[in-house]
Amino acid sequence: MTSCEGDLRAEPGAIGTGKGYYLLPAGWAIARTPGGRRACLVAVMDVMPWYIPAQYCARQGATAYLEMWALLLVLAGAAILTRRTSRFLAGTFVVFAALTGILGTSMFYGCSVSAPAEQGLGTNLPAATYGILRCFGHDVGYTAYGWVLFVLSCGGAIALFVFGIIRWKQAGRALAIIGAALLAMAAFAVSFFLLFAFSWCASSRLF
Amino acid sequence: MIADQLTSSVAEVLRTNYCPTNRTQFITSLAGLAAIFCAVAIVLIARGKTARVAGILIVLFALGAAALDLFGFSGCSFRFEPGLTWDWPW
């Protein structure tokens, strides 16, 4: 008996029917080569390869991930362009860009990890970890849209406030501060809805 | 490596959901979008500093979008699930 290399892939359901496969303990099986002359020791795939759910999630949430990617690039560009005008603004843009990257990666990872389990396959993850990852990957369109609104509101509020204080005077400054306050309130409202949706998902309530 | 029945069937579901109904149309749309982005980027990069930064960002966006789309598209089997399709690369 040797170990097989390459394309010894069973037809769907072949293991259960025992067609040329003999299950061994610890995730191994003895299988015959396509010619049937040799017996091989092969690993039984009981865990989904990472790329199948990852490709599924890339297709399912393509719009959301493209929105996040576009937002990250816009924030990076804004940080580059404002680094001489205001270090504070540039730093804020860098922080938001980093948070966008982290959230987008978490959404993609959460979806990839939870997709097989959502279709009925078991998972080895602890329930709490799985719940959090599932909620990151759940309804990525809503999360991405909310995050874009939040960042735009925050960025607009900070930019209006900074430029209102530095550049503008009297009426312009007053209008800038009022606009910044309104945008800050909008950002607060959006963040509330985002956190509420995440908490609702994590609490596993149906209604 | 051999796969058990449940894993195989779940993998098949994941390979058929959100796949394009017409592969040629999908690839053509993606190539068309990439061409438009590249044309806009070339025009912008030839101009001032702010426009150059915008052009470079557009190129980066196009590269990332194409990579994501092709990665997702490469996982599709030759079937698709009606109602769960992905006909445009966004």
Side-chain angles (χ1 to χ4, degrees):
Chain A
M1 187 169 65
T2 59
S3 69
C4 296
E5 291 179 4
D7 57 345
L8 195 79
R9 191 174 286 273
E11 293 295 318
I15 298 171
T17 59
K19 288 179 184 171
Y21 298 91
Y22 302 95
L23 285 177
L24 298 173
W28 292 93
I30 297 172
R32 288 184 181 171
T33 54
R37 295 188 175 184
R38 245 174 357 118
C40 308
L41 186 64
V42 292
V44 177
M45 183 175 78
D46 59 352
V47 176
M48 184 79 65
W50 67 270
Y51 55 85
I52 293 177
Q55 287 165 331
Y56 165 82
C57 290
R59 296 193 301 272
Q60 186 197 34
T63 310
Y65 300 124
L66 290 182
E67 275 176 21
M68 296 294 276
W69 177 229
L71 179 66
L72 192 151
L73 290 175
V74 166
L75 290 168
I80 291 169
L81 292 175
T82 55
R83 71 185 191 282
R84 299 242 168 103
T85 316
S86 165
R87 280 199 169 185
F88 173 73
L89 262 187
T92 308
F93 285 132
V94 167
V95 169
F96 274 126
L99 289 175
T100 305
I102 291 168
L103 181 64
T105 309
S106 304
M107 283 157 55
F108 189 73
Y109 181 69
C111 176
S112 301
V113 168
S114 61
E118 292 290 298
Q119 300 292 337
L121 208 60
T123 175
N124 296 326
L125 291 169
T129 310
Y130 172 75
I132 290 171
L133 288 173
R134 186 178 69 84
C135 291
F136 268 119
H138 175 72
D139 203 354
V140 289
Y142 177 85
T143 310
Y145 187 59
W147 179 252
V148 169
L149 275 181
F150 175 74
V151 171
L152 289 182
S153 305
C154 281
I158 292 169
L160 267 181
F161 189 76
V162 169
F163 281 108
I165 297 291
I166 294 175
R167 294 271 171 94
W168 299 324
K169 289 177 182 174
Q170 294 179 346
R173 182 176 292 175
L175 283 175
I177 290 173
I178 291 170
L182 288 174
L183 284 173
M185 284 166 63
F188 180 79
V190 171
S191 68
F192 169 78
F193 282 114
L194 274 176
L195 286 175
F196 183 82
F198 188 84
S199 308
W200 192 268
C201 170
S203 69
S204 302
R205 287 190 178 89
L206 286 176
F207 302 103
Chain B
M1 181 181 285
I2 53 178
D4 67 18
Q5 191 165 10
L6 179 61
T7 308
S8 297
S9 57
V10 169
E12 187 58 25
V13 167
L14 295 181
R15 284 195 188 108
T16 52
N17 283 2
Y18 304 106
C19 285
T21 52
N22 188 330
R23 292 171 160 246
T24 312
Q25 186 188 28
F26 184 89
I27 290 292
T28 310
S29 307
L30 183 58
L33 272 178
I36 290 169
F37 278 129
C38 285
V40 172
I42 287 168
V43 170
L44 287 175
I45 285 172
R47 299 193 176 194
K49 187 194 165 192
T50 307
R52 192 181 306 130
V53 171
I56 292 168
L57 293 179
I58 287 174
V59 169
L60 287 175
F61 176 76
L63 285 174
L68 181 82
D69 284 343
L70 290 176
F71 176 67
F73 180 75
S74 65
C76 278
S77 64
F78 288 96
R79 296 192 297 117
F80 64 89
E81 183 70 27
L84 288 176
T85 54
W86 181 44
D87 285 320
W88 297 98
W90 56 75

